[in-house]
Amino acid sequence: MINPQNHVCWNITPRCNAHCTFCHRMNNIHELSLIQNNLVLERLIAAGIDRITWTGGEALLYNNLEILMKKAKKYGITNQLITNGKAFDKIRIDQLAPLLTTVTLSLDSCTDDINARMGRGKNQYERVTAILDYFHENYP
C-alpha cells in the first residue's frame, strides 16, 4: 500500500507560460534560489520522502529543475512532473525523461477554441499529442 505521507507535491516556481482562466497559483510568492531549494530537497531526503511531484506555476520554467531531479533520483526519490508542455521540446524531454517515472500533461479539450478560451492557447491538443508521441517512441 502506498503511504501518502512520503509523497510531496512541490510547487518549484510560481512562474507560468499559460494564462488559464481558472488558475489558483499565487503570483506574489518569490522563487527560491538553487541553494535554497537544495536545502529544501536535503530536508525532504532526510524526512524519508520517496516521491516528488514537480509542479508550479510551470515547473519547466525553473532553470535548475534538472539538477534537483538528478539529486532526488540519486537518493531513490521517484520524480513525477505536471506540466502544460509549452516548454517541453525534444531536447528538454531527452534531458528529463531518464529522471522521470510519470509526466502529467494539462489538456482541457481536444478543441482549439475551448483550449484558447480556457487560457491554454490554441494548439494545446496538438502539443500534448506530439509530446506523448515522442515519449512513446523514445521512452516506452
Side-chain angles (χ1 to χ4, degrees), residues 1-8 50-53 78 80 102:
M1 181 171 190
I2 296 175
N3 182 352
Q5 296 170 344
N6 293 333
H7 304 167
V8 169
D50 58 18
R51 180 172 66 192
I52 297 174
T53 301
T78 299
Q80 299 179 317
T102 305

Side-chain angles (χ1 to χ4, degrees), residues 110-121:
C110 297
T111 307
D112 277 345
D113 183 50
I114 292 173
N115 281 314
R117 283 188 289 162
M118 298 291 286
R120 302 249 185 237

Side-chain angles (χ1 to χ4, degrees), residues 14-123:
R15 292 183 292 138
C16 190
N17 52 4
H19 305 286
C20 301
T21 57
F22 51 85
C23 184
H24 63 275
R25 69 186 167 87
M26 303 173 115
N27 292 324
N28 59 346
I29 297 174
H30 72 281
E31 186 174 283
L32 298 179
S33 69
L34 176 59
I35 292 169
Q36 292 168 315
N37 277 324
N38 194 50
L39 290 172
V40 171
L41 181 56
E42 287 175 8
R43 289 180 182 161
L44 294 175
I45 292 165
I49 295 300
D50 58 18
R51 180 172 66 192
I52 297 174
T53 301
W54 303 88
T55 187
E58 172 53 52
L60 292 175
L61 296 181
Y62 184 72
N63 294 332
N64 297 301
L65 182 63
E66 184 179 2
I67 293 169
L68 295 171
M69 283 185 170
K70 281 181 181 178
K71 183 171 183 172
K73 184 171 180 158
K74 176 183 170 185
Y75 284 91
I77 296 173
T78 299
N79 290 306
Q80 299 179 317
L81 176 66
I82 298 175
T83 178
N84 62 33
K86 290 178 182 268
F88 229 170
D89 58 18
K90 292 176 182 180
I91 293 170
R92 196 72 193 269
I93 292 171
D94 291 339
Q95 291 170 338
L96 296 179
L99 305 173
L100 293 166
T101 58
T102 305
V103 175
T104 301
L105 294 158
S106 304
L107 181 64
D108 298 307
S109 174
C110 297
T111 307
D112 277 345
D113 183 50
I114 292 173
N115 281 314
R117 283 188 289 162
M118 298 291 286
R120 302 249 185 237
K122 292 199 180 243
N123 303 319

